[in-house]
Amino acid sequence: MFDLTGKIAFISGGLGDIGKSIAEALADVNAKVIITDIISKSKVNLNENLNKKIYNYHTLDITNLEMIKNVVAQYKKIDILVNCAGINRRGHFFDLSEKDWDDVLTINLKGTFLLSKIIGEKMVENEFGRIINIGSLSSYIGLPNMMPYVASKGGITQMTKAMAMELAPNVNVNAIAPGYFETNLTKKLFENKEWKGKTLARIPLQRTGCPEDLKGIAVFLSSPASNYVTGQTIYVDGGWISS
């Protein structure tokens, strides 16, 4: 039910902590995993374990439509797309610049739209596909000091629903929404012991997340086990929203 033998998975932002973890998870259940990221291949330093597992690597700017088309055209089929690429800009609403807003929305929303459009067309032609978008706790609740990010992740939830309607019946589209996860992007935030203490107090499972916590749900949403699941945003947050 969870075996992905013969499936090709395409992961944007594949060099981030979450992207790498999902790549490893899909490779472990026999998918051929293609990692893409904005970083040039010559500058990539993949760990030995992941390097052995990946099928291919491409440098890709997900906001560049022609670049997307050129990369995707190299594959007859892509069965699974995981939209992991994303950025954040932190600061008070009044201190954030127009460029901060444009940078975050362009990568997090426009990039997801463009990549899903081109790969989604191929999936519809092949009459099979799984698209997994990466949302956030902020897809559901408002969080301070990162207005563009919150707006973009709220957009991901709605985009997921709309894509699920338009790409049905052969392409399932869902989103994974992590809670507070310790990654390179959130490292500075977690260095604030007072903030971390207050955050832990809100989480029923009494710990923050780590990228490995997303492996199971990524495999589930990529596999036949989720054949009747589409249009959903699934929160992997240790119970934060329930609290």
Side-chain angles (χ1 to χ4, degrees), residues 4-226:
L4 296 180
T5 299
K7 301 300 184 186
I8 295 178
F10 190 105
I11 301 177
S12 73
L15 295 184
D17 293 329
I18 289 175
K20 284 189 290 188
S21 187
I22 291 176
E24 288 179 348
L26 299 187
D28 284 342
V29 288
N30 304 315
K32 290 184 175 180
V33 177
I34 301 161
I35 284 180
T36 70
D37 209 290
I38 192 71
I39 302 170
S40 169
K41 188 174 183 179
S42 63
K43 297 180 180 179
V44 172
N45 184 24
L46 294 173
N47 66 62
E48 185 178 350
N49 186 45
L50 181 57
N51 198 40
K52 288 179 180 178
K53 293 178 179 179
I54 67 167
Y55 177 62
N56 212 344
Y57 178 88
H58 295 280
T59 302
L60 180 63
D61 177 357
I62 61 168
T63 68
N64 185 319
L65 183 57
E66 291 307 311
M67 198 173 185
I68 291 172
K69 288 180 178 179
N70 289 338
V71 170
V72 172
Q74 299 178 42
Y75 299 95
K76 184 176 180 180
K77 69 164 187 168
I78 293 173
D79 303 292
I80 301 157
L81 167 62
V82 185
N83 286 302
C84 277
I87 64 169
N88 195 1
R89 294 284 187 272
R90 294 184 183 277
H92 189 275
F93 182 23
F94 296 154
D95 297 326
L96 291 165
S97 67
E98 182 179 0
K99 185 177 186 304
D100 290 329
W101 175 270
D102 289 343
D103 287 348
V104 174
L105 272 292
T106 298
I107 293 173
N108 294 7
L109 274 182
K110 181 181 177 181
T112 296
F113 164 73
L114 293 178
L115 195 54
S116 298
K117 171 181 167 63
I118 301 305
I119 292 181
E121 288 175 348
K122 190 178 289 285
M123 289 176 170
V124 170
E125 289 173 6
N126 291 325
E127 299 185 344
F128 179 84
R130 297 285 189 271
I131 296 177
I132 302 171
N133 299 320
I134 301 299
S136 160
L137 193 65
S138 63
S139 296
Y140 182 76
I141 63 174
L143 295 172
N145 300 315
M146 49 182 182
M147 178 74 72
Y149 184 83
V150 172
S152 73
K153 293 305 182 178
I156 287 293
T157 293
Q158 293 304 105
M159 184 186 293
T160 297
K161 293 176 182 178
M163 286 168 58
M165 298 301 99
E166 294 205 38
L167 299 184
N170 297 313
V171 179
N172 294 35
V173 186
N174 294 287
I176 298 172
Y180 279 109
F181 275 56
E182 295 194 51
T183 67
N184 284 331
L185 285 178
T186 61
K187 188 176 180 179
K188 288 185 178 181
L189 191 62
F190 278 87
E191 290 173 354
N192 184 327
K193 293 183 180 180
E194 182 181 355
W195 174 87
K196 187 173 181 178
K198 290 180 179 179
T199 299
L200 286 172
R202 282 287 308 274
I203 301 174
L205 293 188
Q206 298 182 5
R207 68 173 179 88
T208 54
C210 61
E212 288 73 21
D213 290 321
L214 300 177
K215 286 185 172 183
I217 191 65
V219 170
F220 170 70
L221 292 176
S222 300
S223 74
S226 62

